[in-house]
Amino acid sequence: MSRPERNLLLVVDDEVDFLELIEQIGEGVGCEVITADSATRFREQLATRHPALILLDLQMPGMDGIEALRYLARQGINASVLLASGMDQRVLASARQLGESLGLRMVGTLQKPVMLEDIEALLMKHLDPGARISADDLRRAIEEHELVVHYQPKVVRCDSDWQVRSAEALVRWRHPSLGLLYPGEFLALAEQSGLIASVTDFVMTDAIRQLGHWRQRGLELSVAVNLSPKLVQDLEFPDRLNRILREFDTAPEQLILEVTEGASLDDPDLVMDIFTRLRVRGIGLSLDDFGTGTSSLTQLYKMPFNEVKIDGSLVADLGTSKAAATVVRAIVELAHNLSLTTCAEGVETAAQFEFLDQAGCDALQGDFIAAAMPAAEMESFIQVWNGSDHASISAERP
Ligand code: C2E
Ligand code: MG
Ligand code: MG
């Protein structure tokens, strides 16, 4: 199951005027809008994109809306679904009920002809929780401990097997009325409002405290924490980090900082200074999301990274693109020639796992192994995973 793309709306309708109208309204409220005017186009769109919201017309020539709902359920599409139709409310309501019984997230119905304001309100409601949170909310959330850290296990090649040796700390916000919010929904706000240092200090403290807890339970792990580009250039950051490490009596070697490539570009001398000091102390530095837009090979040899994270978008293309496979193999080889280790993220299938194993990747992370989970669940996951044999991953999970 793939994660929905934030603010991506798919409109399925055979009336071109209606598609154009929704496109306009959607873009006005900050969505990316993609459309389908036929069953074929509907399936094509879903093969490559992961909408957060689908606005589906129940009656289309050549496609029965109910069959479309079944298709969404069969494919495990993880989007919110809004139904639209010119039929009466009762038909819409029973279609909605059917969608719910198929396990779909049915979020509403729209009776045609639709009111502009109704569509706008529905889109705002279902697409962008980020638009409804403010810096004050976030400040309060930090004070009232609404932020939580989930951990995603990372497996590392050990002889011919793969063992959990590490975890990536990923922040979430348990919002009292909006539910669990993901970093994509509030990190930009944290950066703009100057709260990112507090968020990171919280995540860092939680992760380092957690290391001590796991150590007491006999688990020797390392933990990776994401560092916002803003903080990479904060000269006080290394000192704050040292204080946290000392407070919890943790070896710097157990901490890896993940930074994205773009981060290192603004003031390369300053960043080099900070990175080198961190590395000298033994802290690991990982170049995150390698292979995406801002890639710069220069970063790889100029900055003192010791790990490269191959971006999930490259991993996702492995099965369908020979070129992606070639690029991934080349990254692994290049990294090894530079004495860097490689970690592939977003591993979702056995086939991807096997390919990356063959390609010589050193560490793997992704939903195929496990999605991010509360710290309390890590211990039993590690017991099960590390107690099984993964020398050759078959199509079945352990
Ligand atoms: P990232 O560092 O590249 O983290 C990997 C993201 O991919 C995570 O999303 C993770 O949940 C998701 N993921 C893991 N396995 C799979 C998979 O198999 N398939 C797919 N499709 N996705 C998978 P998440 O937690 O939403 O985090 C998004 C980004 O937010 C992270 O990307 C990271 O850049 C940033 N982030 C997360 N926590 C923090 C934090 O504490 N501080 C800062 N500064 N950034 C953070
Ligand atoms: Mg990361
Ligand atoms: Mg990444």
Side-chain angles (χ1 to χ4, degrees):
M1 186 171 72
S2 292
R3 283 178 177 66
E5 295 171 54
R6 184 167 187 248
N7 285 356
L8 180 65
L9 167 67
L10 168 62
V11 195
V12 189
D13 204 298
D14 59 315
E15 289 170 49
V16 179
D17 291 351
F18 185 74
L19 291 179
E20 279 172 6
L21 174 73
I22 304 287
E23 241 174 320
Q24 249 176 28
I25 300 175
E27 282 161 9
V29 296
C31 313
E32 182 189 348
V33 184
I34 53 175
T35 59
D37 58 2
S38 67
T40 314
R41 193 73 197 115
F42 169 65
R43 283 191 288 267
E44 277 171 6
Q45 291 284 29
L46 290 172
T48 53
R49 303 294 307 262
H50 308 293
L53 180 64
I54 300 175
L55 176 53
L56 177 69
D57 182 11
L58 272 184
Q59 298 156 290
M60 281 178 59
M63 183 169 72
D64 164 356
I66 303 303
E67 186 42 45
L69 290 176
R70 291 218 167 84
Y71 181 81
L72 293 175
R74 264 200 315 275
Q75 299 291 313
I77 303 289
N78 186 19
S80 300
V81 182
L82 258 174
L83 293 178
S85 166
M87 298 179 94
D88 72 44
Q89 267 302 339
R90 280 206 316 264
V91 178
L92 273 169
S94 58
R96 177 181 181 160
Q97 219 166 28
L98 178 83
E100 277 164 5
S101 67
L102 289 168
L104 296 171
R105 195 181 321 123
M106 306 299 296
V107 291
T109 54
L110 269 176
Q111 192 163 24
K112 286 183 178 176
V114 290
M115 302 289 287
L116 227 96
E117 302 76 42
D118 289 350
I119 302 186
E120 220 171 57
L122 273 169
L123 294 186
M124 294 281 280
K125 181 160 171 219
H126 295 292
L127 276 164
D128 195 3
R132 287 175 293 148
I133 51 179
S134 67
D136 283 341
D137 292 337
L138 182 57
R139 195 168 293 113
R140 183 193 47 77
I142 298 170
E143 281 160 13
E144 295 182 8
H145 310 289
E146 283 173 16
L147 297 189
V148 289
V149 183
H150 283 182
Y151 291 87
Q152 186 174 38
K154 188 164 141 182
V155 296
V156 177
R157 190 190 293 276
C158 296
D159 298 323
S160 60
D161 200 4
W162 292 91
Q163 298 272 299
V164 182
R165 289 281 185 272
S166 182
E168 178 171 3
L170 295 161
V171 67
R172 276 94 181 84
W173 176 358
R174 277 194 198 291
H175 193 283
S177 57
L178 300 173
L180 194 66
L181 300 184
Y182 287 81
E185 284 155 338
F186 61 88
L187 278 185
L189 177 68
E191 294 200 347
Q192 288 150 17
S193 57
L195 289 167
I196 189 68
S198 312
V199 172
T200 305
D201 286 354
F202 165 78
V203 176
M204 198 73 79
T205 308
D206 192 275
I208 293 174
R209 182 191 295 121
Q210 201 53 55
L211 277 178
H213 183 71
W214 284 325
R215 196 184 316 125
Q216 279 170 6
R217 310 278 304 166
L219 291 171
E220 280 302 331
L221 298 178
S222 61
V223 74
V225 176
N226 292 282
L227 201 55
S228 148
K230 287 247 156 94
L231 287 182
V232 170
Q233 304 186 43
D234 172 359
L235 273 169
E236 289 168 17
F237 174 73
D239 291 333
R240 285 210 305 280
L241 183 53
N242 265 341
R243 272 202 299 278
I244 305 177
L245 285 169
R246 268 203 309 272
E247 185 184 342
F248 293 97
D249 192 23
T250 299
E253 288 76 13
Q254 284 180 280
L255 179 66
I256 302 149
L257 296 177
E258 294 192 4
V259 286
T260 50
E261 299 172 66
S264 12
L265 295 176
D266 281 5
D267 184 348
D269 292 339
L270 175 62
V271 174
M272 177 70 101
D273 177 311
I274 295 179
F275 279 5
T276 309
R277 275 160 55 204
L278 293 169
R279 285 293 293 133
V280 166
R281 283 174 194 156
I283 292 167
L285 267 188
S286 177
L287 183 51
D288 207 351
D289 303 342
F290 190 72
T292 53
T294 52
S295 287
S296 150
L297 286 170
T298 322
Q299 303 296 319
L300 263 191
Y301 76 89
K302 287 208 168 150
M303 295 289 179
F305 290 106
N306 60 312
E307 181 189 72
V308 178
K309 285 194 95 167
I310 302 171
D311 192 61
S313 58
L314 270 175
V315 175
D317 285 345
L318 280 177
T320 49
S321 158
K322 275 202 170 129
T326 306
V327 170
V328 168
R329 276 201 208 91
I331 294 177
V332 174
E333 196 186 329
L334 175 72
H336 287 170
N337 286 337
L338 293 168
S339 305
L340 304 166
T341 59
T342 48
C343 173
E345 63 181 17
V347 181
E348 289 182 345
T349 66
Q352 291 164 353
F353 193 114
E354 231 165 307
F355 175 90
L356 293 158
D357 180 6
Q358 298 292 316
C361 213
D362 307 285
L364 306 174
Q365 183 185 339
D367 291 357
F368 178 70
I369 298 146
M373 60 183 86
E377 291 171 22
M378 279 283 287
E379 196 175 329
S380 59
F381 174 79
I382 294 176
Q383 264 166 11
V384 173
W385 179 280
N386 285 2
S388 322
D389 179 17
H390 313 91
S392 124
I393 286 280
S394 69
E396 278 169 73
R397 297 277 304 266

